[in-house]
Structure formats: structure tokens, C-alpha cells
Amino acid sequence: MTIATKEVISVEEKTTGPWREAWNGFKKSKAAIVGTAIVLFFVILAIFGPWIAPQGLNDQNMSIRLQAPSAEHWFGTDDYGRDILSRVIHGARLSLTVGFLSVIGSIIVGSILGIIAGYYGKWWDTIISRIFDIMLAFPSILLAIAIVAVLQPSLQNALIAIAIINIPTFGRLIRSKVLSVKQDEYIVAAKAIGMKDNRILISHILPNSMAPIIVQGTLAIATAILEAAALGFLGLGAQVPQAEWGRMLSDSKQYLTNAPWTLVFPGLAIMLTVLGFNLMGDGLRDALDPKMKN
């Protein structure tokens, strides 16, 4: 083999790989790009909300309460004369924070339990799997309501409840992936040469389980935002005067007929954010799943 050939092969190895192929496949999906753009838009709102919002979060002016959308107040005002656009922008931070943090917590706890159940098996698998089955037997929103009712209504407790109810989803996903991966030859070889279990889990099994975690995590953020909005609407999530989108819907439901803009814009924010994460998650699934590449 000539030097030039070796150099070409080296360059190809550097420019190709499963993650680069996944990125190239992701870019080909127009829906995924649109979803990513929507998500980035709301992330920017969440980060720079206090500087972007035209007015303060709780600036009140009762003389302009329930004012329709206008040049001065693009989304109109609510029953306290607060600018709805400003509150929707501030609400992006709360909703995305709950979505991201609850899913991260679910992934961490679910991955640990799923790895233990799948890798060590035996009675570990039996106990953990039965716990997952019991949790999945309850409708997720009802379980979240029960948890918040015990912990007392607040945004932080809603976040904890959402994280808990999503643990079985990630736990079962990781368990199934571990059961598949641990039978591969390189895992058997690692055990044969005396590699410790923790090193096998961290260096081999966990990295090879990342693709489904990323896909499910993206889709779970959309679900978490919806669940947070549902809890907020029921008065079990964010509390007054926090500008959480579900709470804004709850506070404005009595004005549906005479001031519909108070509900329309927070509802659109929820819809667009969830749509963005779903489109992005679908694109990631198509890009990372080998069965979908064709």
C-alpha cells in the first residue's frame, strides 16, 4: 500500500463515522431542521428573556387590563394589565427548565436502574422490572398529580414528579439495550481478559446505548413540557405570580369568550415548543436508527 493510499484512508476515517453519518442524515430531514430551529428559538428566549421582553414580568397597569393585541402590546394584556408577550417570553425559561431538568433526572436514575437490571440480572432484574411495571400501570398524569399532592403544589415539586414518572421509560429502554449489547463478542472478550464490570459499563455498554437515550430524551422533553403545563393548569405546578404557560392558561380560562388572546398565545407557545421537540426527535430517530437509514 502506497503512502498516498494510506493518507486517503486516514482522511476518510477522520471524516466518516457513525455520529457524522447520523449528522449528515439529520441534515437531510427538512422537518428535523424546522424542529431544531423552533427549539433554538425558544431556547434563546429562555436564556435572554429578561433582556428581550418589552416589559417586566409582573408590571401591572389596571387601566389597560384585557386590552386586545396592539402595536404597543403585541399579544395584548391580561386581567391585571400585564403584557402577555413579556410573560410568554419569561415563561419559556420555566417551561424549558422543567423539561430539561426533569428529563435529565429521569435519564440518570432510569439509566442506573436499567443497567443494573440488564447487566446483573437475576433478582435485581426481577425487583427493578416489577417496580417499573407498577409505575407504568398508572396513567402518568395521575401519578404526577398524586406525587405533587403529597409533596405540596410548587414548580419544583412538579419537576420532581415529572422526573419520577418518566424513570420507567428510560429504565426499560436501557435495560433492553444492555441485554442486547452484553451478549456481543467484545463484551465477552472484555470479561475474559479480566476487565472490571464498572469499566465495561462505562467504556463499552453505556456509549453503545446513547443513541436511543438521545432520541427518547428529546421526545420526553416535549412530553415533560406538556405535563408541566397540565400540572400548572390544575394549580399543582407553578404558583402565582410565576409566568408558566400552563398556569397562564389556568388564570385566563374565564376570559375565553371576551379576551381569547389571553389563552391563545400561551397555548401557541406550548404547541410550538412541543412540535419543535417532536420534529427534532423524529429526525434524530431516523438518523440514529440503522433500520431507518434506507
Side-chain angles (χ1 to χ4, degrees):
M1 185 180 295
T2 64
I3 296 176
T5 304
K6 291 181 179 179
E7 290 178 352
V8 170
I9 294 175
S10 177
V11 171
E12 289 179 349
E13 289 177 348
K14 292 180 180 179
T15 56
T16 59
W19 292 105
R20 184 173 291 275
E21 289 179 3
W23 169 243
N24 291 334
F26 182 81
K27 291 190 296 183
K28 293 178 182 178
S29 173
K30 294 181 180 179
I33 296 301
V34 171
T36 304
I38 294 173
V39 170
L40 288 176
F41 172 75
F42 280 100
V43 168
I44 291 172
L45 286 186
I47 295 173
F48 300 103
W51 296 276
I52 297 175
Q55 294 188 17
L57 173 61
N58 291 306
D59 291 350
Q60 299 181 19
N61 185 352
M62 296 300 290
S63 64
I64 57 170
R65 66 186 300 269
L66 299 178
Q67 186 180 87
S70 61
E72 185 178 359
H73 301 282
W74 291 2
F75 288 3
T77 61
D78 64 8
D79 54 323
Y80 287 99
R82 296 172 297 191
D83 184 62
I84 294 177
L85 173 60
S86 300
R87 291 180 62 78
V88 168
I89 292 174
H90 282 280
R93 175 172 294 186
L94 289 181
S95 295
L96 290 182
T97 297
V98 172
F100 279 109
L101 292 183
S102 62
V103 169
I104 290 173
S106 300
I107 289 174
I108 293 173
V109 178
S111 296
I112 293 173
L113 294 176
I115 287 174
I116 292 173
Y119 188 77
Y120 293 104
K122 299 181 180 178
W123 61 272
W124 285 105
D125 188 17
T126 301
I127 294 174
I128 293 174
S129 295
R130 295 299 78 76
I131 292 173
F132 288 164
D133 290 340
I134 292 171
M135 294 179 67
L136 290 171
F138 294 91
S140 59
I141 189 62
L142 292 181
L143 183 57
I145 291 172
I147 294 172
V148 174
V150 172
L151 298 177
Q152 300 300 320
S154 71
L155 185 64
Q156 292 77 11
N157 290 337
L159 189 155
I160 294 172
I162 294 169
I164 291 173
I165 64 177
N166 285 310
I167 287 174
T169 302
F170 290 98
R172 296 183 72 175
L173 178 66
I174 296 301
R175 175 185 174 274
S176 63
K177 188 66 177 178
V178 170
L179 288 173
S180 174
V181 172
K182 77 174 186 178
Q183 303 299 329
D184 291 345
E185 293 180 356
Y186 66 93
I187 300 296
V188 177
K191 290 181 179 179
I193 63 175
M195 186 178 291
K196 295 182 178 179
D197 288 343
N198 58 351
R199 187 177 176 186
I200 292 174
L201 291 171
I202 296 174
S203 302
H204 298 294
I205 291 181
L206 191 57
N208 283 284
S209 304
M210 288 303 297
I213 292 177
I214 293 173
V215 175
Q216 184 60 40
T218 305
L219 297 172
I221 293 174
T223 303
I225 291 173
L226 278 177
E227 290 166 343
L231 291 173
F233 185 83
L234 295 173
L236 299 173
Q239 301 298 306
V240 177
Q242 292 176 311
E244 192 272 328
W245 293 333
R247 182 72 200 192
M248 292 175 67
L249 290 176
S250 177
D251 293 340
S252 303
K253 61 180 181 293
Q254 57 185 316
Y255 305 109
L256 177 61
T257 55
N258 60 332
W261 56 86
T262 59
L263 288 91
V264 168
F265 294 110
L268 283 175
I270 295 171
M271 184 199 72
L272 288 174
T273 307
V274 172
L275 176 64
F277 278 107
N278 283 335
L279 291 176
M280 189 168 70
D282 288 341
L284 287 171
R285 181 192 59 197
D286 295 343
L288 294 173
D289 188 350
K291 298 178 182 178
M292 304 291 291
K293 293 194 180 213
N294 293 326

